[in-house]
Amino acid sequence: MATIGADRSLEQASISSQNLPLVRRLEAVGFRAWPAASVQYDGSWQVRLTAGHPSNRLNSIVPLDPSDHRDVQIRLEKASRKFEAYGRAAVVRQTPLASPVLIELLRAQNWTRFDETVVMTCDLAEAALPDTLDHLPTHDVGRFVDANLTVERAPLSLKPALAEIISAIKPPSGLFMIENAAEGPLATVLCVQDNDLAGIMSLSVCETRRREGLGTEILTSALRWARMRSARSAWLQVKLSNRPAIALYERLGFRDAYHYCYWQRETR
């Protein structure tokens, strides 16, 4: 699988070859599937901030037009000050929709690039979903949040923010869990159906129960649920370093759509 290379010419070639309408659509549904508490615009740049949750998807500057490079230095400083007001380092999310002029500026200012990620899609009509035990979604947001934080071993202090984020999702959502009485929560996944697209979010499997098929089981349940609700395609985001997860997604028919990464400058 291709990664976002550090070489500049390779990066530009990757950007120029993208299906930008698809990228724009997946970015739009991604914003609706994981809504930030505060969203402000500067031209085509979206500045997303969420005080109670550290997720970079909820706290980043997201350029949405490759041709929008007017006054990039002034606008970058202005957007960065919004992060400083939150006591955070400014973060830029680079997708194929980011202007090359902005990326050159980040390099010149010694911003650090991190968290290379692939967005993958799957044709649900063609997906050969395995015959696994089916799970029905719960409507109990609090129970799902508790299970997700337990499986991910995340701080319980994130519960209010995560519950608020999930409650703010406007498209229909399925909250899936696998648990048993002896061990508690074992796996979780959130599936957000936005018209014909189904987004897979927060797929997690208990560290002590990985490689036992639980990820396949719960993901398959979510995809079946979405397909029964007339979703035609599924999408998800996964870090390129997470090879076991990528292998699972590829087995179910997911393929690369595009890549993105983040850039960060330390707070002053």
Side-chain angles (χ1 to χ4, degrees), residues 19-174:
N19 182 345
L20 293 185
L22 174 64
V23 176
R24 290 190 178 97
R25 188 173 186 215
L26 291 176
E27 286 295 295
V29 297
F31 294 150
R32 292 193 290 269
W34 206 238
S38 170
V39 179
Q40 301 176 45
Y41 281 90
D42 181 352
S44 66
W45 295 10
Q46 189 177 109
V47 182
R48 297 165 59 80
L49 285 161
T50 304
H53 201 284
S55 165
N56 287 317
R57 278 194 282 181
L58 297 173
N59 296 278
S60 52
I61 304 160
V62 190
L64 296 172
D65 183 351
S67 66
D68 182 4
H69 48 73
R70 174 186 53 83
D71 300 328
V72 288
Q73 184 166 348
I74 295 172
R75 294 164 67 193
L76 181 61
E77 289 298 327
K78 179 181 176 181
S80 296
R81 285 195 292 271
K82 298 182 186 298
F83 284 78
E84 292 173 3
Y86 277 66
R88 290 181 173 166
V91 173
V92 174
R93 184 164 173 265
Q94 179 193 354
T95 75
L97 302 178
S99 167
V101 176
L102 173 61
I103 303 308
E104 289 296 330
L105 176 63
L106 298 179
R107 286 196 181 94
Q109 293 186 350
N110 297 317
W111 287 52
T112 302
R113 178 170 145 175
F114 66 102
D115 273 3
E116 300 178 3
T117 300
V118 57
V119 179
M120 307 180 78
T121 59
C122 173
D123 183 340
L124 290 177
E126 301 294 329
L129 300 181
D131 185 16
T132 60
L133 181 65
D134 213 4
H135 298 270
L136 297 176
T138 179
H139 300 288
D140 190 334
V141 172
R143 183 181 169 203
F144 175 83
V145 168
D146 285 339
N148 180 257
L149 294 176
T150 298
V151 171
E152 293 194 349
R153 297 185 176 182
L156 292 179
S157 60
L158 292 178
K159 180 176 179 178
L162 185 56
E164 184 175 354
I165 292 164
I166 293 175
S167 298
I169 298 171
K170 296 188 182 303
S173 302

Side-chain angles (χ1 to χ4, degrees), residues 179-186 209:
E179 55 187 350
N180 64 38
E183 299 174 90
L186 301 177
R209 297 293 303 274

